[in-house]
């Protein structure tokens, strides 16, 4: 059973930084596909950053956010810099299933199937 436990949220002022952590069990973060999402009150859940099995990343804002993982600690991170009030939300980490394409010889990411409980980030001016 996959368990994801986020931490590192808090209250910061505009322009500040936070590093979120997601401790993973039951899943190998460094060999999988993972992501950070966020959801603000009254808004839809938004994909913030993703990382695939090959280490390729995508971002909603690549200039301020960096997703990374520590193989030894089996932990996913999200470094957030130059925070803005609109970054205020609950942040969640998520894991995706991984499958193998025999034709291409590549692994690929499938649907999300495990979520953490979230950590609150509040940015005030």
């Amino acid at each position: 059973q996959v368990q994801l436990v986020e931490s590192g949220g808090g209250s910061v002022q505009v322009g500040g930084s936070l590093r979120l952590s997601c401790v993973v069990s039951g899943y190998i973060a460094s060999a999988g596909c993972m992501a950070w999402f966020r959801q603000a009150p009254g808004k839809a859940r938004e994909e913030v950053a993703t990382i695939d099995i090959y280490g390729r990343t995508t971002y909603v804002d690549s200039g301020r956010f960096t997703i990374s993982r520590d193989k030894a600690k089996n932990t996913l991170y999200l470094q957030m810099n130059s925070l803005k009030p609109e970054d205020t939300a609950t942040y969640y980490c998520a894991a995706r299933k991984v499958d193998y394409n025999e034709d291409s010889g590549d692994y690929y990411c499938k649907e999300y199937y495990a979520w953490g409980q979230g950590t609150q980030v509040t940015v005030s001016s």
Side-chain angles (χ1 to χ4, degrees):
Q1 183 178 358
V2 179
Q3 288 191 320
L4 309 174
V5 180
E6 303 97 334
S7 63
S11 297
V12 296
Q13 292 191 328
V14 170
S17 298
L18 282 174
R19 188 178 79 157
L20 306 183
S21 300
C22 174
V23 176
V24 182
S25 59
Y27 185 91
I28 302 174
S30 61
C33 301
M34 300 198 70
W36 287 96
F37 285 78
R38 65 186 178 189
Q39 188 165 23
K43 294 189 177 181
R45 185 172 56 195
E46 177 183 35
E47 186 180 83
V48 175
T50 70
I51 187 165
D52 72 5
I53 190 171
Y54 299 105
R56 295 175 298 203
T57 57
T58 65
Y59 297 98
V60 66
D61 188 334
S62 60
R64 299 189 297 123
F65 296 160
T66 303
I67 188 172
S68 63
R69 51 196 178 190
D70 185 316
K71 182 178 182 179
K73 295 181 179 179
N74 205 28
T75 299
L76 182 74
Y77 300 101
L78 182 68
Q79 178 69 43
M80 305 187 295
N81 300 324
S82 302
L83 284 164
K84 305 174 182 179
E86 51 263 44
D87 295 319
T88 295
T90 300
Y91 284 71
Y92 302 89
C93 67
R96 302 174 72 169
K97 293 184 178 180
V98 179
D99 208 342
Y100 180 72
N101 185 320
E102 293 188 357
D103 293 334
S104 65
D106 292 325
Y107 290 91
Y108 62 98
C109 305
K110 298 182 68 177
E111 70 276 14
Y112 290 101
Y113 78 115
W115 298 82
Q117 83 291 346
T119 186
Q120 177 67 37
V121 171
T122 303
V123 184
S124 57
S125 56

